[in-house]
Amino acid sequence: MLTRETIEQAARDYGATVFGVGDLALFAGEDPKHDPKMICPRAQCIVGFGIPVPRGLYKTMKDGSQFYTYTTVGVKAIDEEYFEMFLFRMASVIEDEGYDACLQRPYPNMRVQGDTSANPETIGVYELKYASPVEPGKPPPDVMIDFDKAARACGFGQGGLYGRVINRDYGPMMRYAFVITDAPLTTNAPWTGDLCAACRQGADTPPCAAACAASCIDPEKGLDTWKCWEHYNKARGYTLPRTQWGYQACLCGRRCDIACYEKLTGRSL
């Protein structure tokens, strides 16, 4: 019999550090281009998993000794290699019991129609502007869930001021993947706190905004994604050669992430 507990045990055995099951009620009224039920119409819930990015990858950037390692190991390897095998195993756990498992890993370089934001982690971002619905009443492919909303539904944390999901224990130093399923699992309460508000108390400028040398983060409007892309890739006054894997070296050292983590946890890298 498939239960929340059996899925969680398997997830932790396969390396997940955080686990949660989210109620899809949080997605009520969602834009169809981001609606989990447009991916799995019989979906009952969304199962979330989190893998921490090793803190040492941030420390080497803070110390100025390595910049490619964060993106290739802390982003590409987790999103494109670790999560692919992890999600395949989780799908087996769920589908062996007769339910569907629609796997959702990050695609940093893809955007749904109408989303023209940038992602500094990748060399280019591609808007799926020429896709067409397969029939009337359906959104164009590919439907991509809102990872910030999914993380909140699973109780992990919230989307922060500067566009990252902030976890109460790991700050922004975590990558996420999800499974949309029609399995009737017990859900947990969604995240309802406000980590950013607590962080900003007593400060004219939030730590993440103060840490960004290019002023990419507006305390009221949030992150300017294209300005961030430029700074991320050219912060040290030069541009490194493009790589065959499509990811950029983090030349700004993600000072925003480090400032957020150190403020939230009280620990210095």
Side-chain angles (χ1 to χ4, degrees):
M1 178 179 177
L2 186 69
T3 66
R4 173 197 174 102
E5 288 71 27
T6 57
I7 296 176
E8 179 174 7
Q9 185 58 58
R12 295 197 184 279
D13 289 345
Y14 296 143
T17 300
V18 299
F19 171 88
V21 181
D23 189 336
L24 292 179
L26 192 64
F27 289 87
E30 179 64 87
D31 184 328
K33 291 182 290 187
H34 301 295
D35 187 351
K37 288 204 170 186
M38 288 292 168
I39 299 171
C40 180
R42 298 186 302 275
Q44 297 290 314
C45 58
I46 183 166
V47 187
F49 316 94
I51 304 292
V53 177
R55 293 189 304 275
L57 299 181
Y58 284 93
K59 191 173 189 313
T60 57
M61 291 192 294
K62 184 177 181 180
D63 295 342
S65 58
Q66 287 186 322
F67 293 89
Y68 261 130
T69 314
Y70 161 75
T71 316
T72 55
V73 178
V75 178
K76 178 182 182 294
I78 295 177
D79 288 357
E80 295 192 1
E81 297 166 26
Y82 186 95
F83 269 145
E84 288 187 349
M85 184 54 68
F86 174 90
L87 288 171
F88 178 80
R89 289 172 170 170
M90 295 312 304
S92 297
V93 172
I94 295 170
E95 296 200 342
D96 283 352
E97 296 295 328
Y99 299 102
D100 290 335
C102 298
L103 312 180
Q104 310 294 303
R105 75 160 178 85
Y107 288 90
N109 66 335
M110 293 177 66
R111 292 289 184 270
V112 298
Q113 286 187 12
D115 184 351
T116 58
S117 63
N119 182 351
E121 295 168 345
T122 61
I123 290 173
V125 176
Y126 306 95
E127 178 192 354
L128 299 171
K129 59 169 41 174
Y130 300 112
S132 299
V134 295
E135 62 182 49
K138 292 187 177 181
D142 276 273
V143 174
M144 296 183 184
I145 64 169
D146 184 330
F147 269 45
D148 289 4
K149 187 171 287 188
R152 193 162 72 251
C154 292
F156 295 154
Q158 69 185 75
L161 173 67
Y162 65 106
R164 304 281 280 193
V165 173
I166 304 173
N167 178 270
R168 57 184 176 269
D169 298 316
Y170 293 89
M173 298 182 181
M174 181 165 280
R175 310 295 292 189
Y176 298 97
F178 300 90
V179 174
I180 305 166
T181 180
D182 57 346
L185 305 174
T186 303
T187 59
N188 49 269
W191 173 258
T192 57
D194 192 341
L195 296 170
C196 286
C199 185
R200 295 178 69 165
Q201 288 182 354
D204 294 333
T205 304
C208 58
C212 181
S215 301
C216 299
I217 306 166
D218 185 286
E220 303 302 325
K221 298 178 181 179
L223 180 69
D224 182 328
T225 61
W226 284 100
K227 195 173 183 181
C228 177
W229 189 94
E230 182 79 8
H231 181 56
Y232 185 106
N233 295 294
K234 299 181 180 180
R236 296 176 66 81
Y238 56 86
T239 302
L240 293 176
R242 290 194 172 191
T243 63
Q244 71 273 21
W245 51 76
Y247 285 81
Q248 300 276 48
C250 182
L251 296 182
C252 70
R254 293 224 62 102
R255 298 289 177 175
C256 49
D257 280 353
I258 293 171
C260 176
Y261 173 83
E262 292 183 341
K263 174 69 175 181
L264 180 64
T265 65
R267 298 194 297 267
S268 178
L269 288 180

